[in-house]
Amino acid sequence: MTDRPDPAAPRLAFVADEDLSRTGEPVRGGVPWPPGALHDPSRLVLRDARDDARLPLQTRILERWTDGSIRWLLIDTLAGPHEGTLELLPADASADAAANPLRVHEPGTGEVIVETGVRRFRLRAGGPFPFAGVEDAAGRPTMDPTRAALVVEPTHGAPLHAVFDQIEVEEAGPVRAIVRLRGTVAEPGAEPFLTTTARIHLFAGSPVARIDVTLRNPRPAQHPGGRWELGDPGSVLIRDASLTLALPPDDAPGTTRVRVEPDEPLARTATPLEIYQDSSGGEHWRSRVHLDRDRRIPCSFRGYRVRAGTKPERRGHRASPIVLLQRGDAFLGVTLQHFWQTFPKAIETDDDTVTVRLFPGQASSPHELQGGEQKTHVVFVAFGEDPITDVPLAWCHDPLAVELQPGWYAAAETAPWLLPRDEDPDEADAHRQLAEAAIDGEDTFESKRERVDEYGWRHFGELWADHEAVRHDGPEAFVTHYNNQYDALYGLLVQHLRSGDRRWKRLADELAAHVVDVDVYHTDGDKAAYNHGLFWHTYHYTDADIATHRSYPTRGDDVPGGGPSNEHCYTSGLLLHHLLTGDPLSRETVLELADWMIAMDDGTRSVFRVLAGGATGLASQTYTRDHHGPGRGAGNAIVAMIDAHRLTGEARYLAKAEELIRRCIHPEDDLAARRLDHVESRWSYTIFLQALGRYLDHKAERDELDERYAYARASLLHYGRWIAEREHPYLERPELLEFPTETWAAQDLHKSDALAYAALHAEGSERARFRERASFFLRDATTRLADLPTRTLTRPVVLLLSHGLAEPWLVRHPDAARPAPRTTEPFPPPLAFEPKRARAIRRACILAALAAALAVGTLVLLVSRATAG
């Protein structure tokens, strides 16, 4: 969509927070390509730009351009003793596949065998978890599968073993294999207590397995009275959930070594050993963020404790433990990703077994998984000496990441309006400085996290919604959660692409994991308007209390019911996260949310289906049930459809986007009747216009310049003219606002971006007018924000991360334009949409009136006959 760059080879590097020598570490990342630059990845090689040394390479296509060329390519490799820049370019790749043999066999009967060159892993459906056996190169067992298990202990009843009865090879190549297992935790013949999914990553030349285990409560919440809180009848209570692994039987003496914190040396320890993290270890470890169902803070002490043999207990603040067991030739090492951050956690060992407590029984309160809630735990296990870092498995706490130059991301059209930070025009300086408050200064996202202790398995990765706490002056923390409002995840990733600063990416990875697990309602058991939806952010200026991330607490007068809503659906950050990392959970969640939007609008799933047909309107309503004009509800749904269409190519997603556009907007709308100047109820029409811009870009890239493209384009221009002539900065007229806060200044960025999209489709003086007004709103918004002491609050900063970038991009691309449609046919008349509920109520009233008339007529007839008799 921009001027096509010279399709030179992308130059990339591997980066980590610590400078460590990491030969053999598995590295994965997504690489975007400009249109037409790459068609066949099989001839690519990854080489050191200095000495032409080649690294092993595995590729998988994540997305293609319409012309068939590759848009996103996922690469896997193993880091070597290289420094500096690597190049990914076409060459003779024939020798690379044999250099790192990783073989996957499926002999049938639900079994998968993966040979990494140093270990042979056997996985079997219905067998021991995670492995039915692990052997070294000589065929000697390195684990005892009879003692391997994932066990969940409910608060009532006997412990339950997870049974994984489905197995599938999800990826297989010369560098990495991923085997997915699915199963349940249940009593025999009973409904599942939990459902389970595990993805097991195995790597060429490595004895290490990465095990991602997701535990999900598939039940719906009951949410009585619209309250979504801990203690709901749909929750399950877990006393303990643990993964146990064991060395094979051996009479040889064993040794156990441990490193508890990253700056400690690896040292021998006595057994039995327990490392238990009870709280974050931070200054505010007793924060009200951690309230349980009884409104009690279950954290018993600050940080972690270590108990080893008969030695005195010792304590510290933040553990990232690595535990290594060795007996004879057998070796077993374990660590967890984000051990202290996602407390409570524990690792225990005796002489030949290790137990990783995902939900540890040591906690003072049961672990509650709410209806539709899940948690993914990432465990690394070494079945032999791991030579990647001096301390085995240390690399797992700070894994290498793929990093490309910002200029390549921009040239490959990775995101709309993407401009490398170093190429920002001078007029973007104020905007950039405001946005970078998220990572620099005294009020960064990480410092906010510390102030409220946004840690623990349910909270880590979330952003504290401190803008909702501005009216609070009590002694305790005011707890509010952001729940990815305005797609904070997307903004973090865009800033990473612009700058190459890894801090943005780290925040994004943590937020993505939280959104996928906690903010999405993973159930089929509720109504279509809720199933698989994204929970809204905390109700304005109301403490979350025990509603946690589900929005609406009991405390707080006159707080309405909550639940997932079309006005709070954000998929683009998850899409970009999947493309950058290959994370399958982010991809699945994009589709989960898009399907939720379709399902909620499906009249056949409505309780009113008997009385009326057609769409419910739940996907297009904004602010009130009867408003189906341009607004963020429909705008979010349209973007979700585009993102799902990009991932799958399924026509139903694009068709739904076009249905919603036709329903909500028309090129000849009476804008006075739309009441766009009613700010509180109509402000988000500018979000819808940006969704139109995204849709038009998607259609133009596909060369679908048809009547639907023409319709959307004309609508965008029609509304763009109104903004250019009639709109003003919100804070110029604060009397129109219920709460004239700093957020309204940030919301003016939507006007700037909508006008920038309109400018791409305009010509001559009109284009110039759109550009001038886009620049005005950007300049006014950033000037006002810079003067406000509340400019670093979470919501305005999140808006700045991904909005206000369009006009600076146009400064650097002054001739950028979108194609005109190929059709000049007249547009169909406006669609008079009536939501299913309204139709059903109207028809019910008609039927009731007819029934009443019939009853009166029958009564009159009976009276008449009786009188006559």
Side-chain angles (χ1 to χ4, degrees), residues 192-216:
F193 180 70
L194 299 173
T195 60
T196 57
T197 300
R199 283 183 168 89
I200 299 180
H201 300 239
L202 301 167
F203 313 102
S206 176
V208 176
R210 169 177 166 162
I211 306 169
D212 298 0
V213 179
T214 302
L215 301 177
R216 173 187 292 182

Side-chain angles (χ1 to χ4, degrees), residues 35 43 53 75 94 112-113 136 151 179 194 250 259 305 368 372 404 490 570 668 681 688 756 801 837 849:
R43 308 301 296 175
I75 68 166
S94 60
V112 174
I113 299 173
D136 64 15
V151 179
V179 181
L194 299 173
D250 195 322
R259 191 186 78 173
R305 72 180 180 219
E368 179 175 353
L404 283 78
Y490 179 77
Y570 301 104
E668 298 169 7
S681 61
F688 184 94
L801 297 183
R837 179 188 177 93

Side-chain angles (χ1 to χ4, degrees), residues 808-823:
W809 186 91
L810 285 173
V811 170
R812 295 301 188 204
H813 302 83
D815 299 324
R818 298 295 183 258
R822 295 196 181 98
T823 178

Side-chain angles (χ1 to χ4, degrees), residues 443-452 464 466 792 794:
D443 199 23
T444 65
F445 285 173
E446 287 197 334
S447 68
K448 295 175 194 285
R449 176 188 287 173
E450 290 288 346
R451 287 206 300 275
V452 77
W464 180 37
D466 59 342
T792 62
T794 296

Side-chain angles (χ1 to χ4, degrees), residues 68 70 138 191 221 238 270 321 327 337 344 354 427 462 504 538 562 567 589 596 599 669 735 759 852 867:
I70 293 169
E191 290 294 315
I238 301 169
R327 172 174 284 185
Q337 189 179 75
V354 59
E427 49 265 50
E462 174 67 291
W504 297 110
T538 306
E567 291 191 63
T589 307
W596 162 56
D669 273 342
E735 70 276 6
T867 303

Side-chain angles (χ1 to χ4, degrees), residues 84-353:
T85 303
L86 302 168
E87 293 179 330
L88 189 62
L89 72 169
D92 180 8
S94 60
D96 291 319
N100 290 276
L102 187 149
R103 297 182 175 86
V104 178
H105 312 280
E106 296 183 71
T109 65
E111 188 173 28
V112 174
I113 299 173
V114 180
E115 298 180 11
T116 69
V118 296
R119 290 295 180 271
R120 186 173 189 262
F121 295 89
R122 290 190 295 114
L123 304 94
R124 188 169 63 244
F129 179 80
F131 301 107
V134 181
E135 300 168 352
D136 64 15
R140 294 171 298 198
T142 60
M143 69 166 288
D144 181 359
T146 65
R147 291 186 285 168
L150 175 62
V151 179
V152 177
E153 182 182 344
T155 53
H156 300 288
L160 305 172
H161 281 63
V163 177
F164 293 86
D165 54 7
Q166 299 178 47
I167 189 169
E168 175 189 2
V169 177
E170 198 168 67
E171 295 185 41
V175 176
R176 179 189 302 244
I178 302 177
V179 181
R180 182 176 63 187
L181 299 103
R182 289 177 173 168
T184 58
V185 176
E187 294 181 358
E191 290 294 315
F193 180 70
L194 299 173
T195 60
T196 57
T197 300
R199 283 183 168 89
I200 299 180
H201 300 239
L202 301 167
F203 313 102
S206 176
V208 176
R210 169 177 166 162
I211 306 169
D212 298 0
V213 179
T214 302
L215 301 177
R216 173 187 292 182
N217 175 10
R219 297 167 181 77
Q222 299 301 310
H223 47 87
R227 310 296 180 178
W228 299 77
E229 297 184 318
L230 296 173
D232 185 278
S235 296
V236 297
L237 297 179
I238 301 169
R239 168 50 57 195
D240 185 272
S242 299
L243 173 64
T244 297
L245 298 160
L247 293 169
D250 195 322
D251 293 333
T255 60
T256 300
R257 292 175 292 162
V258 64
R259 191 186 78 173
V260 179
E261 294 192 39
D263 57 354
E264 291 181 355
L266 188 65
R268 294 186 63 168
T269 183
T271 58
L273 171 71
E274 176 207 64
I275 305 168
Y276 169 59
Q277 184 86 36
D278 186 73
S279 65
S280 74
E283 181 181 352
H284 302 289
W285 63 276
R286 291 277 299 170
S287 168
R288 292 182 62 259
V289 164
H290 309 302
L291 287 176
D292 66 10
R293 60 197 282 126
D294 298 317
R295 290 195 172 88
R296 187 177 67 88
I297 298 172
C299 303
S300 301
F301 60 90
R302 182 177 179 178
Y304 68 84
R305 72 180 180 219
V306 178
R307 293 172 174 171
T310 59
K311 292 183 177 181
E313 176 181 299
R314 72 178 178 96
R315 293 193 177 185
H317 290 162
R318 292 177 165 174
S320 297
I322 297 168
V323 177
L324 310 175
L325 281 68
Q326 193 161 7
R327 172 174 284 185
D329 294 327
F331 179 100
L332 185 61
V334 296
T335 193
L336 281 85
Q337 189 179 75
H338 298 139
F339 183 89
W340 69 263
Q341 295 92 330
T342 60
F343 74 87
K345 289 286 183 289
I347 297 178
E348 300 172 24
T349 71
D350 56 24
D351 289 341
D352 64 351
T353 64

Side-chain angles (χ1 to χ4, degrees), residues 518-564:
V518 176
D519 288 347
V520 177
Y521 190 32
H522 303 283
T523 186
D524 294 312
D526 214 318
K527 61 183 180 180
Y530 291 162
N531 289 337
H532 303 285
L534 182 67
F535 284 103
W536 205 297
H537 56 82
T538 306
Y539 190 75
H540 291 316
Y541 309 119
T542 301
D543 188 282
D545 194 51
I546 60 171
T548 69
H549 306 269
R550 297 199 165 191
S551 311
Y552 294 93
T554 297
R555 294 183 177 181
D557 296 335
D558 301 321
V559 177

